[in-house]
Amino acid sequence: MIEFWESTYISDVLLSAYVITLGLAWLLMIFNIENWGKAWRVSRPPRIPEKGEFLSICVPARNEAENIGACVRHALQSRWPNLEVLVVDDRSTDDTGAIALEAAAGDNRFRLIKGEEPQVGWAGKPWTCARAAKEAKGAWLLFIDADVCVDKDAAAAAVLLAQERELDLLSFFGRWTLVSFWEKTIIPAVGWLIRGVVDFDKANNQALPDAFANGQFILMRRSAYASIDGHGAVRDQVLEDVRLAQAVKRAGFRVEIRPAGWSFDVRLYRSLQEIVQGYAKNLYEGMNRNPMMGFSAILFILFGSLFPFFALIFAILMKVTLGWNLFSWSILAGFLLISIAQLVFRWRIERFDERAGNMSWSHPLANVMLIYILLRSTLGIQVQWTGRVFIDGRAKTK
């Protein structure tokens, strides 16, 4: 009689349950991509008013020589009748300021502001945004990153929607510009992990405490901004965009985050080093500095995505080289189908983002890199970003 603990029955049942559950989960994600944020998507405004409240587009910029020219040109092309564009050059060591001035081409709606050393306790970006707001004249403040190229109708769409829904903070998700191999491989995987955790129904429900904002594009009503002390409320935060939305909502103001892929393009990072350092400084903060969440995310990616690929490849290698049968044919077929489902999921994401989808095969590699980034972020490994040092997900301040 075979002893209970020597029987393969239990392991077969558990492995089969794992394969079936994981396969169904990936199929569900494949068919739900088109529904992401569907009820909250923003369309282009049917018309632009001839008059409107004054809008200040505020751009914090530190060592952004590669990006700032395009950012300024697109911002000045915005079809809002009454606006200014302010760039705060945060003590850049490159030609950021000169390039911004050249891009403005003498447009009197543009102002370049010289940044100052942050006060004690302030992280760099909140300090620079606060300086922009202090200099701005607008009743509305639109904060965009220096690597963002706004569509000509984006500012108008944001202001009109905020006015219509009586919002005090409105943020958009835009579209990524991906050029290099590592950008195309990693950013969709990490970006969609972040976007996937945003529940629009909760974040946009004013009765719930949930709130989210994307720092690439945040519109704020000046009166609400001043009421919470603006970026002073998040002065020491690396994840200042999300924390700002949370602070605004806690103060009783109305906040929404919306998908608007057409509204702007952003090239987040340009190299593997930038991708790793950029995400490593933010992800742990996004998990509320909870190490259990960090390691749980790593385990989820490992067993929810990578294990079927590795198990399938390893089983085939052992069969060919040593004649070992590590799994039954039905389990191997399940691993194969799950692996294919993941590649289809990635292809659907690429197509949803209006890309060709020819990088779908890189999904397993992207998840390997994502685990590495999560480990760096969760373990608090020091990174450098735009000339500043970040440790344990926080900027070093004086």
Side-chain angles (χ1 to χ4, degrees), residues 3 6 40 51 55 64 70 98 109 111 113 126 141 150 166 184 204 230 256 262 279 286 289 298 326 351 365 380 388:
E3 298 290 346
E6 294 178 348
W40 297 98
K51 295 182 179 180
L55 169 69
E64 293 285 357
R109 298 173 300 165
R111 281 191 286 155
I113 300 164
L141 307 173
V150 292
E166 299 181 343
K184 294 176 181 178
N204 295 342
E256 284 188 1
W262 61 270
Y279 281 127
R289 303 176 58 77
I298 291 169
L326 297 182
R351 298 303 297 155
L365 176 60
R388 293 192 174 99

Side-chain angles (χ1 to χ4, degrees), residues 129-158:
C129 288
R131 176 67 191 282
K134 180 180 178 181
E135 299 284 346
K137 301 175 182 177
W140 292 94
L141 307 173
L142 175 57
F143 297 96
I144 64 172
D145 285 347
D147 50 11
V148 165
C149 293
V150 292
D151 183 271
K152 62 183 180 180
D153 291 335

Side-chain angles (χ1 to χ4, degrees), residues 95-110:
D95 294 328
T96 294
I99 294 172
L101 280 171
E102 182 182 358
D107 193 316
N108 60 14
R109 298 173 300 165
F110 175 81

Side-chain angles (χ1 to χ4, degrees), residues 106-258:
D107 193 316
N108 60 14
R109 298 173 300 165
F110 175 81
R111 281 191 286 155
L112 179 66
I113 300 164
K114 185 177 181 180
E116 301 172 346
E117 181 75 18
Q119 292 181 358
V120 175
W122 282 76
K125 186 177 177 181
W127 173 257
T128 309
C129 288
R131 176 67 191 282
K134 180 180 178 181
E135 299 284 346
K137 301 175 182 177
W140 292 94
L141 307 173
L142 175 57
F143 297 96
I144 64 172
D145 285 347
D147 50 11
V148 165
C149 293
V150 292
D151 183 271
K152 62 183 180 180
D153 291 335
V159 174
L160 292 173
L161 181 60
Q163 290 174 334
E164 176 188 346
R165 294 185 59 80
E166 299 181 343
L167 302 175
D168 300 287
L169 185 152
L170 175 62
S171 185
F172 285 170
F173 281 124
R175 181 170 52 202
W176 301 303
T177 298
L178 308 176
V179 179
S180 70
F181 170 81
W182 288 112
E183 289 173 79
K184 294 176 181 178
T185 296
I186 301 174
I187 288 176
V190 183
W192 275 102
L193 175 68
I194 296 169
R195 293 185 176 190
V197 301
V198 178
D199 187 327
F200 291 99
D201 292 335
K202 287 185 176 180
N204 295 342
N205 186 333
Q206 309 308 322
L208 298 178
D210 306 67
F212 196 91
N214 173 21
Q216 297 152 13
F217 189 105
I218 297 178
L219 177 73
M220 276 210 68
R221 192 186 300 269
R222 176 182 280 279
S223 57
Y225 184 84
S227 180
I228 66 161
D229 190 27
H231 279 85
V234 293
R235 68 188 64 195
D236 62 345
Q237 298 294 310
V238 173
L239 203 66
E240 86 294 329
D241 48 2
V242 178
R243 304 296 181 237
L244 182 65
Q246 292 168 345
V248 171
K249 203 168 189 181
R250 279 197 306 270
F253 295 106
R254 294 176 59 83
V255 176
E256 284 188 1
I257 172 80
R258 296 226 179 192

